[in-house]
Amino acid sequence: MAKQFEEKQFNIPDLKGISNQTVEEHLKLYTGYVKNANLILAKVDEYSEDASPLVGAGEEHAYALSEIQRRFGFEFDGLRNHEYYFAHLENGSTPLTASSPLHKAIEEGWGTYDRWFARFKKMAMTRGVGWAVLYYDKHTDQLLNSWIDEQHLGHLTGLSPILMLDMWEHSFVADYQPSGKKQYVEDFFTNLNWQSCEKNLEEAKS
Ligand SMILES: [Fe+2]
């Protein structure tokens, strides 16, 4: 039987632009992903083991089983993506120091930090719901920007997320309205604890 995923707790201070109510509601959505990921794993166990006298073991729920198995990527990534996102907002903002390995890797990839920053923010404005992500690829020792649709469509295999920005409307619409999406992205970076990203890169390289 698979281990159950445990809901994490986050120490998020008052943020610029993003209200405490939005954070509270957003954390409830995270809780939902944890519950649903666990529920799917339990159902996969249940449906895989059942044995009908008319059909072989596991066949009675074969269709449901494949559908919930397909759904697992959405729920699991919804869980994990939010753990990265909320960790970025924990314990107050810290700057990205110019001498840090992350800053150097960004410069190696894009020439300057400002060029990467402009491109990342442009990517975050992609239409539709999803995530703007800065990844580290251990295979080629480089950073890559990429967009994920929903929670899981477009995740890059084998790469480690370094920075994950939630661009679903639930992240910002209550505080910014749909037209304020760009300001939400700006404020996210004002609120960002870059140390969490630096830690992600350190762990990805180890
Ligand atoms: Fe979200």
Side-chain angles (χ1 to χ4, degrees):
M1 297 295 169
K3 281 185 193 170
Q4 292 279 292
F5 297 109
E6 286 186 21
E7 185 180 342
K8 291 191 173 181
Q9 302 299 316
F10 301 94
N11 179 25
I12 299 176
D14 290 345
L15 300 172
K16 177 176 185 272
I18 306 167
S19 66
N20 292 336
Q21 193 186 356
T22 291
V23 172
E24 278 170 30
E25 291 297 316
H26 205 166
L27 284 166
K28 288 179 194 170
L29 295 175
Y30 161 64
T31 303
Y33 286 111
V34 176
K35 283 183 180 162
N36 284 330
N38 284 327
L39 180 66
I40 287 178
L41 289 183
K43 283 288 174 195
V44 167
D45 283 339
E46 183 188 330
Y47 289 172
S48 300
E49 298 298 322
D50 69 359
S52 158
L54 299 176
V55 290
E59 288 178 27
E60 188 183 4
H61 293 293
Y63 182 78
L65 183 59
S66 63
E67 285 307 306
I68 57 170
Q69 200 76 77
R70 191 204 305 278
R71 198 69 183 162
F72 184 65
F74 176 82
E75 301 291 356
F76 174 84
D77 283 348
L79 173 166
R80 187 56 48 79
N81 295 347
H82 284 96
E83 289 177 349
Y84 279 95
Y85 176 78
F86 289 122
H88 291 327
L89 299 174
E90 277 196 298
N91 303 321
S93 66
T94 56
L96 176 62
T97 48
S99 59
S100 69
L102 179 54
H103 195 283
K104 285 179 183 162
I106 288 173
E107 285 179 334
E108 277 172 27
W110 288 272
T112 64
Y113 171 84
D114 288 345
R115 183 179 290 139
W116 166 79
F117 194 36
R119 290 201 196 179
F120 188 91
K121 286 192 288 187
K122 200 172 277 183
M123 179 177 69
M125 296 302 288
T126 300
R127 289 172 62 76
V129 296
W131 293 75
V133 187
L134 173 67
Y135 285 99
Y136 173 67
D137 180 20
K138 202 172 187 174
H139 299 268
T140 56
D141 188 27
Q142 67 174 331
L143 297 170
L144 291 168
N145 285 336
S146 198
W147 172 265
I148 295 171
D149 277 314
E150 297 187 28
Q151 302 291 353
H152 57 318
L153 303 172
H155 246 311
L156 303 182
T157 302
L159 275 65
S160 305
I162 305 301
L163 170 60
M164 296 205 72
L165 171 53
D166 192 338
M167 292 308 301
W168 283 57
E169 290 184 342
H170 62 240
S171 311
F172 65 91
V173 161
D175 298 322
Y176 297 88
Q177 307 306 311
S179 59
K181 189 170 170 174
K182 206 169 182 177
Q183 189 58 46
Y184 159 69
V185 174
E186 293 291 341
D187 288 351
F188 171 80
F189 278 97
T190 301
N191 291 314
L192 177 59
N193 182 344
W194 274 103
Q195 282 177 0
S196 65
C197 306
E198 291 176 6
K199 182 169 152 275
N200 289 341
L201 182 61
E202 198 180 312
E203 287 175 1
K205 285 191 167 191
S206 64

